[in-house]
Amino acid sequence: MSTADERPPGEPAPELLEGRLWVDGCFDFFHHGHAGAVVQARQLGDELYCGVHSDEAILENKGPTVMNLKERVLATDACRWVTKTIPNAPYVTQLDWISHFGCKYVVHGDDITSDSSGEDCYRFVKAANRFKVVKRTPSISTTDLVGRMLLCTKGHFIKSFEKILAGEEGPGTEEERKANGKDMLERIRLYATDETAKKPGVDVWFWTDKPEGASCKELLKGKGPQLGQRVVYVDGGFDLFSSGHIEFLRMVTQAEEELARQDGWYTQQAIDERKGKGADYGPVFVVAGVHDDQVINNEKGVNYPIMNIFERGLCVLQCRYINAVVFGAPFIPTKTYLTSLPWGTPDAVYHGPTSFMPTTDDVYTAPKEMGIYREIGHHEHEDVNASTIVQRIMKSKDQYEARQKAKGMKADVEAAHKKREALEEEQRQKQAQK
């Protein structure tokens, strides 16, 4: 546990750097609201250090965390715009800590964050005029997501993401729908930026499967595959994007880097050749297929996904291990689908040990027959997925209910808990009949 009296770890930076900024927070199941603050902060400078509070400090000041410190650090490390993660950062931001790491300014959203005594967590950096403000991401917070789990709601589902973005679907007037679609598209564009948060980075496509035919449609143009990179494909729901997903994606990248090392990718000559043509880059281009809300709900039931396809897509977009995203990817990656991807047939299709959506069918028959199927082995976070996160919440329901009430939520959580239990039992029976 970190306190204001503890010294920051490591040797101090020789000077304060104008372009080195600091953000801090709990980052509990790191979602796109967190990423929204991080990407805006990164746009204000050249480097971004991310302080993550300890489990004990959060419990004392806010309430219980859903994810432990190791899981939360894994998430911030995986964010494309984070330069360095600092675990056990003080809950109340201290000038000596940020100065120790050479950070001139602290960046935070335009909402108020208080400690256990009700005082502003940023009072010291504000008094020193070393505080910058960015806009808070609307309509999302850890509290919102916990509320969806406790209340077992489905109002967040999106029927057709493509129509939502076009302003053809959703609540409100036609003008309001179009404005909402435009805002959502701009947020996708922001989250698809490169590590500088200022240039296009990630390719974004839609997969549409209509009676007249299926095809991929470009939404945003990113960097695209570079010369010599292998294109690999992964898919999933990526609900409550967390350590299980992140570690899998990191291991996919690691596996491809090892293959590339064997082929001489990291020899000095190869590195110099790439630099001579502009800049060095990694050996793999990872494409992530993200399933629709209804596809996930058909397989998992209850009120999954807890995040809708827009929210899940933003979480995937911000991850440093991802180079392209396909919204609306089919649950079964058929040969027709894989050979229709805009980057050509993938060199490999990876699958991991995490089984959020159990099925008796082998959905990877096509890539296996094509000889491009690869598996990632077991890892310590393989059991962390949306289902286990919900179980953590429900196990400590009373604590989280108190936290929700403290945030102003008024609802019958007990009735919702019984509803969830009934829906989960119904889903188990459906699985048993398959």
Side-chain angles (χ1 to χ4, degrees):
M1 176 180 175
S2 60
T3 67
D5 296 327
E6 289 186 20
R7 299 294 302 166
E11 291 296 317
E15 61 179 329
L16 296 183
L17 300 176
E18 195 80 20
R20 182 179 292 175
L21 305 176
W22 173 280
V23 295
D24 57 23
C26 305
F27 303 110
D28 207 5
F29 51 91
F30 191 88
H31 52 68
H32 69 91
H34 299 131
V38 171
V39 67
Q40 291 180 79
R42 180 63 180 83
Q43 288 179 323
L44 299 177
D46 307 314
E47 295 179 282
L48 186 64
Y49 280 43
C50 183
V52 182
H53 308 318
S54 69
D55 300 338
E56 297 83 1
I58 298 169
L59 179 62
E60 179 184 343
N61 288 278
K62 187 175 183 180
T65 60
V66 181
M67 315 301 289
N68 62 43
L69 178 62
K70 188 173 185 179
E71 293 168 332
R72 292 183 287 114
V73 166
L74 189 70
T76 54
D77 277 344
C79 181
R80 183 180 297 109
W81 308 296
V82 171
T83 307
K84 184 179 179 66
T85 296
I86 311 297
N88 296 305
Y91 198 83
V92 176
T93 308
Q94 304 293 319
L95 285 167
D96 62 336
W97 269 71
I98 65 170
S99 298
H100 178 87
F101 293 103
C103 300
K104 180 72 177 288
Y105 297 103
V106 174
V107 184
H108 188 67
D110 53 9
D111 55 325
I112 302 237
T113 303
S114 303
D115 61 15
S116 58
S117 61
E119 293 189 85
D120 189 342
C121 289
Y122 297 99
R123 56 189 181 273
F124 300 123
V125 292
K126 286 180 178 178
N129 291 319
R130 292 172 63 179
F131 187 74
K132 293 178 180 287
V133 178
V134 293
K135 291 182 179 179
R136 182 184 179 276
T137 303
S139 305
I140 189 67
S141 69
T142 301
T143 303
D144 296 329
L145 295 174
V146 170
R148 292 180 192 178
M149 299 177 212
L150 292 175
L151 302 177
C152 206
T153 57
K154 291 185 179 181
H156 56 284
F157 283 11
I158 289 177
K159 184 177 180 181
S160 170
F161 191 31
E162 193 171 8
K163 288 184 177 180
I164 282 279
L165 290 182
E168 299 171 3
E169 194 172 284
T173 64
E174 180 179 355
E175 184 178 348
E176 289 170 336
R177 288 194 298 271
K178 287 189 178 298
N180 182 57
K182 183 179 179 182
D183 288 344
M184 291 172 76
L185 180 58
E186 286 308 305
R187 188 157 295 278
I188 293 172
R189 193 187 309 277
L190 176 63
Y191 285 54
T193 53
D194 67 0
E195 63 277 5
T196 70
K198 297 172 184 175
K199 301 176 183 177
V202 182
D203 292 0
V204 185
W205 290 69
F206 274 116
W207 172 255
T208 54
D209 193 355
K210 298 178 180 178
E212 58 269 26
S215 63
C216 260
K217 177 183 176 183
E218 186 176 50
L219 183 63
L220 294 173
K221 189 174 184 62
K223 291 181 179 179
Q226 305 299 300
L227 182 65
Q229 284 185 322
R230 275 168 53 91
V231 175
V232 306
Y233 181 79
V234 299
D235 63 2
F238 300 106
D239 195 15
L240 297 178
F241 192 74
S242 55
S243 54
H245 307 115
I246 293 165
E247 183 64 6
F248 162 68
L249 293 170
R250 189 192 69 79
M251 291 177 71
V252 167
T253 301
Q254 187 179 56
E256 287 293 316
E257 287 173 345
E258 184 55 37
L259 286 174
R261 184 172 288 105
Q262 296 171 14
D263 290 338
W265 183 273
Y266 294 103
T267 64
Q268 194 58 53
Q269 180 181 347
I271 293 172
D272 290 341
E273 286 179 359
R274 290 192 294 273
K275 287 183 176 179
K277 296 175 181 177
D280 196 13
Y281 49 86
V284 61
F285 184 89
V286 180
V287 180
V290 182
H291 305 318
D292 283 332
D293 295 346
Q294 196 57 55
V295 167
I296 297 173
N297 192 253
N298 288 343
E299 295 295 329
K300 191 62 181 174
V302 197
N303 70 325
Y304 294 106
I306 304 301
M307 289 178 168
N308 62 44
I309 188 170
F310 173 59
E311 297 165 336
R312 292 181 287 112
L314 292 179
C315 290
V316 176
L317 281 170
Q318 62 82 34
C319 181
R320 68 171 71 249
Y321 305 120
I322 297 299
N323 304 97
V325 169
V326 179
F327 283 104
F331 187 63
I332 300 176
T334 63
K335 184 175 181 179
T336 299
Y337 170 71
L338 292 171
T339 56
S340 299
L341 291 171
W343 311 274
T345 303
D347 294 292
V349 174
Y350 280 91
H351 184 56
T354 301
S355 183
F356 172 57
M357 293 183 284
T359 176
T360 55
D361 301 322
D362 186 355
V363 300
Y364 294 101
T365 298
K368 287 178 180 178
E369 292 177 346
M370 296 165 70
I372 58 175
Y373 180 77
R374 303 286 183 272
E375 284 190 353
I376 290 298
H378 294 284
H379 56 82
E380 65 174 307
H381 301 284
E382 64 185 62
D383 294 326
V384 183
N385 54 47
S387 183
T388 56
I389 291 172
V390 170
Q391 288 170 17
R392 292 182 188 184
I393 295 287
M394 303 313 292
K395 187 176 180 180
S396 303
K397 180 171 66 68
D398 293 342
Q399 286 180 296
Y400 288 109
E401 181 180 352
R403 174 172 159 177
Q404 299 304 96
K405 286 180 177 177
K407 290 283 188 176
M409 176 178 287
K410 297 179 180 179
D412 188 351
V413 179
E414 189 61 41
H417 179 52
K418 291 179 180 178
K419 178 183 177 183
R420 172 173 287 280
E421 288 179 335
L423 288 170
E424 287 177 344
E425 178 58 31
E426 180 184 329
Q427 186 64 20
R428 280 193 289 270
Q429 292 177 7
K430 286 182 181 178
Q431 291 292 338
Q433 294 170 3
K434 284 189 177 181

